[in-house]
C-alpha cells in the first residue's frame, strides 16, 4: 500500500506536555552527506524559565512520594524505554552512530535506569549516619533532595548521557530541567515520549533542545535552580556556570572525560551529589541508676 | 385577552419600579475577542517597569481566610508597607483587605502610611444573611476604622429577578458606610452570563457603588478579562452619561505580573489614563505582589528570581 512518510515534529518536553518553543525558532540536524534529517526546537530562555517553574511546582510532590514508588516509576521508565529500542537505535544511526554502538548505548541506558531504580529506597540507608555526640541526643544525618537541578547533558551520547545524569537526580527526590545534547538531540525527545507514558509526574523531567551557548548563562544565574550538573569539557561554559552559580550558591558538578558506557559511570555518588545532608539532634532521656534525666 | 391585559399590567409595574433601567445586552463573542486582543500587546523595558510599579500601587493586599490570625494580619500589613526593602524606591500597595474582626489590627498596623484599610462585610462571601445583620456588620467595620467596605450582592435574589431588592440592599449598605468608599462585589462566577454581569454592574452603579468588583476570590472562575471588560464598559457608559467616575476592582485569580499588565492595557484602552490610579482601580490579590516584585528584580538584575528571596505574602 502506498504510504507517505510522516516526518516527526521534535518538540520540547515541559511539564508533561510537548509544546513548541515559545520563540518559534528551530534548527536542523544534518547527516554526514549534508541532508536534513530532522528539525528541532531551539529552546529560548523563556522556555527554560517555564521549565524551572513547573519543575519547582512538581518537586515537593515528587520528594514526598514513597521511595519504593519512585523506584517503581524508574523501573517503568526502563520497561518503556526497552520497548522503543529499535526506534532509538535507528535515530542514533541517523545521527552518525554505528548500529553496534547504538545498540550498546540503548541497552546501557535501559540497564542504567534499572540500576538506579534499585537505589531509590537504599541510598538514604547507605549514606545516612548515626553520629556519636557527647550529650544526651540521638544525632543522625540523612541526605535530602536539593530541589530543582539543571542538567547539561554530554554531547557525545544523545541518549545514555541524558539518562546517566537525570536518573540519579530524580532518584533522590529532585526535579530537573535538562538541556539535551546539542549535536545528537533526537533521542532526547523520543525519550521524553517514554517519560510521558511512564507515570513520571508532570514536571519532574523537563527536556529542552537548543544551543548551549545561548542557555548556559540562564542555567547559571536562575535564582530558583538549586544545583547544576554539567558534563563536558568546554572551559568557558564551566566558567560561566561557576560564576553565575555564586549568586544563590548553587552546587555545580562538572563531569569531564567520563566514559558513560562503562559501569564505572554509575553509582550512589551520582545520587549524593545532588543531596543536602540534614543532621537532626533529637533529645533522648538517658536512664541510669541514680542519675536520671537529661 | 385577559391574559394579555395581565401581562401588560405586569410590564407597567416593572417599568415603574425600575424606571429608566433597561438591561443592556452583551455581545459575548465580541467581548471575548476584544479581551483576547489585549493579551497580545507587548509591553517591554521601561514601559514594563513603569507598569509593574503602577500595578504594585494598585493592589489591595488581601487575606480572607478562616484561619487568619492577628499575627498573619500584622505580617501582611508590614508587607504592604515594606514590599521589598532591599530594592529602594518601591511604592506601597493601595490597601489591605481583611475580615471585619481584623480591622482594628490592620488599622493600628498601617498607621502613618498611606495604605487604606478595606473590610469585607455583608456576610462575605455568600451574602446569605439578614439585611439587618449585614448593615450592623458594615457599621461595625466602619466604626473599627475601615476606610473602604467590600460588600457582596445577594446573588440568589439577583438570579430570581428581584432587582429591586438587590438595588435597595446595596443602597442601604452604602448608607451604613457613612461616606466610606463602597465596593460592590458582583461574584461574576455565579452570575452565569455576561448579560447578567452587565445588568449587575449597572444595578450596582445605580445603587451608589464607588467601585464594582468582580469576585470574592472564593468561587471559580474569579476575575477574567471578558468579565472585567464588560464591567469597564458599564463604567464607561455611566461616565459618558453622568460624568461620574466609578472604580473597578478585578479580584481573584490575577497572580502574575504579565496578566496584571494585560489588565492595565485593557483598562487604559477602555477608560483612559484617569483610571490608572488607585482611587479608581484596584487588583484584589494575595500573591500578585510577590510575582511583580520578582519581575521587577528580573528586569533590574537580568536574572530570573526565586520566591525563596521574597517575604511571604
Amino acid at each position: 500500500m502506498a504510504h507517505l512518510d510522516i516526518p516527526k515534529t521534535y518538540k520540547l518536553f515541559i511539564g508533561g506536555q510537548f509544546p513548541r518553543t515559545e520563540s518559534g525558532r528551530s534548527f536542523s540536524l544534518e547527516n554526514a552527506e549534508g541532508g536534513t534529517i530532522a528539525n528541532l526546537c531551539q529552546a529560548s530562555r523563556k522556555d527554560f524559565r517555564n521549565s524551572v517553574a513547573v519543575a519547582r511546582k512538581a518537586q515537593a510532590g515528587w520528594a514526598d512520594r514513597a521511595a519504593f514508588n519512585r523506584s517503581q516509576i524508574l523501573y517503568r521508565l526502563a520497561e518503556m524505554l526497552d520497548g522503543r529500542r529499535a526506534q532509538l537505535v535507528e535515530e542514533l544511526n541517523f545521527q552518525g552512530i554505528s548500529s553496534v554502538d547504538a545498540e550498546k548505548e540503548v541497552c546501557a541506558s535501559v540497564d542504567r535506569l534499572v540500576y538506579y531504580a534499585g537505589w531509590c529506597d537504599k541510598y538514604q540507608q547507605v549514606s545516612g549516619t548515626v553520629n556519636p555526640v557527647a550529650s544526651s541526643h540521638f544525632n543522625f544525618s540523612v541526605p535530602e533532595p536539593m530541589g530543582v537541578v539543571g542538567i547539561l547533558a554530554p554531547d557525545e551520547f544523545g541518549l545514555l548521557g541524558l539518562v546517566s545524569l537525570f536518573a540519579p537526580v530524580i532518584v533522590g527526590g529532585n526535579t530537573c530541567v535538562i538541556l539535551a545534547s546539542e549535536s545528537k538531540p533526537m533521542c532526547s525527545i523520543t525519550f521524553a515520549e517514554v517519560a510521558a507514558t511512564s507515570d513520571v509526574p508532570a514536571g519532574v523531567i523537563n527536556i529542552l533542545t537548543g544551543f548551549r551557548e545561548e542557555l548556559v548563562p540562564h542555567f547559571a544565574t536562575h535564582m530558583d535552580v538549586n544545583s547544576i550538573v554539567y558534563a563536558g569539557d568546554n572551559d568557558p561554559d564551566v566558567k560561566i556556570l561557576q560564576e553565575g552559580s555564586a549568586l544563590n550558591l548553587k552546587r555545580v558538578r562538572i563531569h569531564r572525560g567520563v566514559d558513560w558506557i562503562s559501569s564505572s559511570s554509575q553509582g550512589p555518588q551520582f545520587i549524593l551529589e545532588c543531596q543536602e545532608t540534614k543532621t537532626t539532634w533529637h533529645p533522648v532521656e538517658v536512664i541510669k541508676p541514680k542519675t536520671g534525666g537529661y | 385577552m385577559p391574559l394579555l391585559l395581565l401581562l401588560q399590567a405586569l410590564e407597567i409595574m416593572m417599568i415603574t419600579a425600575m424606571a429608566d433601567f433597561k438591561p443592556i445586552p452583551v455581545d459575548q463573542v465580541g467581548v471575548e475577542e476584544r479581551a483576547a486582543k489585549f493579551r497580545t500587546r507587548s509591553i517591554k523595558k521601561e514601559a514594563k517597569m513603569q507598569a509593574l510599579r503602577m500595578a504594585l500601587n494598585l493592589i489591595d493586599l488581601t487575606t480572607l481566610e478562616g484561619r487568619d490570625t492577628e499575627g498573619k494580619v500584622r505580617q501582611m500589613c508590614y508587607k504592604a508597607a515594606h514590599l521589598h526593602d532591599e530594592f529602594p524606591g518601591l511604592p506601597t500597595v493601595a490597601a489591605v483587605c481583611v475580615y471585619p474582626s481584623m480591622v482594628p489590627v490592620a488599622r493600628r498596623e498601617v498607621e502613618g502610611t498611606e495604605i487604606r484599610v478595606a473590610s469585607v462585610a455583608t456576610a462575605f462571601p455568600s451574602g446569605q444573611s439578614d439585611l439587618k445583620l449585614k448593615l450592623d456588620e458594615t457599621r461595625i467595620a466602619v466604626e473599627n476604622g475601615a476606610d473602604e467596605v467590600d460588600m457582596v450582592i445577594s446573588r440568589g435574589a439577583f438570579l430570581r429577578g428581584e432587582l429591586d431588592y438587590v438595588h435597595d440592599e446595596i443602597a442601604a449598605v452604602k448608607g451604613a458606610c457613612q461616606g466610606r468608599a463602597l465596593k460592590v462585589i458582583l461574584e461574576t462566577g455565579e452570575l452565569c452570563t455576561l448579560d447578567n454581569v452587565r445588568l449587575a454592574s449597572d444595578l450596582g452603579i445605580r445603587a451608589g457603588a464607588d467601585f464594582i468588583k468582580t469576585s470574592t476570590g472564593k468561587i471559580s472562575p474569579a476575575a477574567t478579562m471578558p468579565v472585567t471588560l464588560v464591567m469597564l464598559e458599564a463604567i464607561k457608559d455611566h461616565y459618558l452619561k453622568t460624568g461620574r467616575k466609578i472604580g473597578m476592582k478585578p479580584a481573584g485569580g490575577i497572580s502574575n505580573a504579565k496578566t496584571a499588565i494585560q489588565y492595565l492595557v485593557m483598562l487604559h484602552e477602555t477608560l483612559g489614563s484617569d483610571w490608572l490610579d488607585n482611587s479608581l482601580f484596584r487588583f484584589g490579590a494575595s500573591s500578585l505582589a510577590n510575582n511583580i516584585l520578582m519581575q521587577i528584580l528580573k528586569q533590574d538584575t537580568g536574572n530570573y528570581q526565586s520566591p525563596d528571596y521574597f517575604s511571604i505574602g
Side-chain angles (χ1 to χ4, degrees):
Chain A
M1 221 168 72
H3 174 69
L4 283 175
D5 278 343
I6 303 178
K8 177 157 128 187
T9 311
Y10 286 85
K11 297 193 277 187
L12 306 175
F13 184 55
I14 301 174
Q17 294 181 314
F18 290 90
R20 288 182 173 80
T21 165
E22 62 79 38
S23 64
R25 301 171 307 175
S26 64
F27 65 101
S28 299
L29 275 190
E30 291 179 356
N31 57 17
E33 292 81 44
T36 300
I37 51 175
N39 292 312
L40 289 108
C41 286
Q42 185 190 337
S44 68
R45 64 187 171 89
K46 288 188 180 172
D47 295 313
F48 171 64
R49 174 199 63 186
N50 296 344
S51 305
V52 172
V54 293
R56 172 61 63 198
K57 221 168 152 192
Q59 198 268 324
W62 177 241
D64 279 350
R65 295 229 174 193
F68 181 66
N69 184 231
R70 289 205 300 272
S71 173
Q72 287 174 307
I73 290 172
L74 258 91
Y75 189 80
R76 177 79 177 150
L77 266 176
E79 284 177 6
M80 301 301 277
L81 190 64
D82 201 44
R84 294 242 197 175
R85 260 163 55 190
Q87 181 189 0
L88 289 158
V89 167
E90 189 187 33
E91 279 178 344
L92 286 170
N93 269 171
F94 280 147
Q95 297 172 105
I97 312 280
S98 76
S99 295
V100 177
D101 286 347
E103 184 73 31
K104 222 192 263 179
E105 179 173 347
V106 176
C107 289
S109 304
V110 175
D111 292 350
R112 195 136 298 165
L113 282 171
V114 174
Y115 172 83
Y116 280 115
W119 270 108
C120 286
D121 55 0
K122 299 176 187 70
Y123 73 93
Q124 280 182 313
Q125 301 169 51
V126 172
S127 66
T129 54
V130 174
N131 312 315
V133 287
S135 57
S136 299
H137 290 87
F138 177 47
N139 182 294
F140 55 98
S141 303
V142 282
E144 294 202 334
M146 298 192 78
V148 175
V149 179
I151 298 175
L152 297 124
D155 199 51
E156 59 277 26
F157 292 100
L159 177 67
L160 180 61
L162 176 113
V163 170
S164 301
L165 288 188
F166 93 77
V169 166
I170 70 165
V171 160
N174 300 291
T175 54
C176 60
V177 179
I178 307 167
L179 180 58
S181 160
E182 192 170 313
S183 68
K184 301 178 183 62
M186 284 169 82
C187 296
S188 64
I189 297 305
T190 304
F191 177 79
E193 291 159 12
V194 170
T197 50
S198 304
D199 301 331
V200 182
V204 171
I205 304 172
N206 303 280
I207 302 177
L208 306 176
T209 54
F211 300 148
R212 287 210 172 187
E213 195 185 359
E214 177 185 355
L215 291 171
V216 158
H218 297 291
F219 272 75
T221 57
H222 197 308
M223 297 291 281
D224 211 22
V225 172
N226 303 104
S227 179
I228 300 273
V229 180
Y230 171 93
D233 51 10
N234 184 319
D235 287 328
D237 278 353
V238 171
K239 184 165 181 284
I240 291 169
L241 286 172
Q242 288 176 331
E243 283 179 357
S245 293
L247 277 174
N248 64 337
L249 304 181
K250 289 180 199 70
R251 188 186 291 171
V252 184
R253 283 283 186 242
I254 309 292
H255 296 287
R256 284 179 199 269
V258 179
D259 174 13
W260 295 103
I261 290 280
S262 151
S263 61
S264 67
S265 65
Q266 63 188 23
Q269 69 274 19
F270 285 86
I271 303 172
L272 295 173
E273 70 184 24
C274 288
Q275 299 282 303
E276 298 261 30
T277 299
K278 182 165 96 179
T279 296
T280 306
W281 295 69
H282 189 69
V284 287
E285 187 157 5
V286 180
I287 300 173
K288 293 178 192 165
K290 291 182 188 169
T291 56
Y294 297 104
Chain B
M1 279 316 260
L3 181 65
L4 189 62
L5 279 175
L6 182 68
L7 283 176
Q8 278 174 344
L10 269 175
E11 205 169 289
I12 289 163
M13 275 167 66
M14 277 185 70
I15 290 168
T16 34
M18 301 295 293
D20 82 311
F21 187 78
K22 287 199 202 77
I24 295 168
V26 175
D27 168 7
Q28 186 183 343
V29 175
V31 164
E32 279 167 4
E33 267 184 29
R34 177 86 180 121
K37 285 260 166 62
F38 297 118
R39 308 192 75 106
T40 62
R41 304 284 197 282
S42 183
I43 310 287
K44 300 286 182 204
K45 306 265 162 65
E46 293 83 18
K48 184 176 180 184
M49 276 298 250
Q50 200 192 342
L52 291 171
R53 282 166 175 277
M54 177 185 286
L56 278 180
N57 190 236
L58 296 174
I59 290 175
D60 279 5
L61 201 60
T62 303
T63 182
L64 295 169
E65 289 175 15
R67 61 179 175 177
D68 284 351
T69 59
E70 288 195 11
K72 167 88 191 284
V73 172
R74 276 203 300 273
Q75 183 267 332
M76 189 184 76
C77 291
Y78 187 85
K79 167 114 186 164
H82 304 264
L83 282 169
H84 195 65
D85 285 347
E86 285 172 39
F87 192 83
L90 288 175
T92 66
V93 300
V96 289
C97 183
V98 295
Y99 271 119
S101 60
M102 292 298 166
V103 169
V105 183
R107 178 81 270 156
R108 221 167 36 237
E109 295 299 316
V110 302
E111 221 46 77
T113 69
E114 286 179 14
I115 300 165
R116 277 154 285 194
V117 177
S119 171
V120 295
T122 73
F124 181 93
S126 71
Q128 298 283 17
S129 181
D130 188 78
L131 179 58
K132 185 176 172 302
L133 294 176
K134 292 184 185 181
L135 295 178
D136 283 346
E137 195 186 3
T138 307
R139 276 187 214 105
I140 290 168
V142 169
E143 278 157 23
N144 281 340
D147 303 305
E148 302 170 351
V149 173
D150 289 29
M151 73 167 288
V152 291
I153 65 166
S154 297
R155 281 88 73 191
F158 178 86
L159 293 171
R160 276 198 306 275
E162 294 171 19
L163 303 186
D164 277 350
Y165 176 84
V166 177
H167 176 278
D168 294 350
E169 191 178 60
I170 298 170
V173 175
K174 172 73 182 169
C177 285
Q178 301 157 49
R180 308 300 196 283
L182 175 67
K183 306 195 197 100
V184 176
I185 304 172
L186 311 181
E187 194 61 303
T188 53
E190 291 186 338
L191 296 185
C192 308
T193 66
L194 290 181
D195 282 343
N196 278 347
V197 170
R198 175 67 200 231
L199 183 60
S201 304
D202 288 341
L203 201 64
I205 292 171
R206 185 190 160 93
D210 297 297
F211 274 77
I212 48 176
K213 173 174 167 184
T214 59
S215 321
T216 60
K218 305 289 179 196
I219 296 280
S220 185
T224 64
M225 291 189 72
V227 156
T228 306
L229 180 57
V230 168
M231 293 168 71
L232 291 173
E233 292 285 350
I235 292 170
K236 182 164 101 181
D237 289 347
H238 184 74
Y239 173 68
L240 292 176
K241 211 157 81 183
T242 68
R244 183 169 161 241
K245 290 175 183 165
I246 306 294
M248 174 71 206
K249 178 175 172 185
I254 303 167
S255 56
N256 68 59
K258 196 173 176 184
T259 315
I261 291 178
Q262 288 164 348
Y263 272 83
L264 291 182
V265 168
M266 179 164 72
L267 175 70
H268 185 247
E269 293 189 15
T270 312
L271 293 176
S273 37
D274 282 7
W275 265 263
L276 295 175
D277 184 276
N278 65 24
S279 63
L280 285 170
F281 188 82
R282 302 284 176 82
F283 287 113
S286 50
S287 57
L288 175 62
N290 267 10
N291 193 281
I292 293 177
L293 291 172
M294 281 165 61
Q295 282 300 314
I296 288 176
L297 269 284
K298 159 74 176 72
Q299 293 288 316
D300 186 59
T301 63
N303 305 324
Y304 288 116
Q305 299 295 307
S306 162
D308 291 355
Y309 301 89
F310 296 84
S311 62
I312 306 163

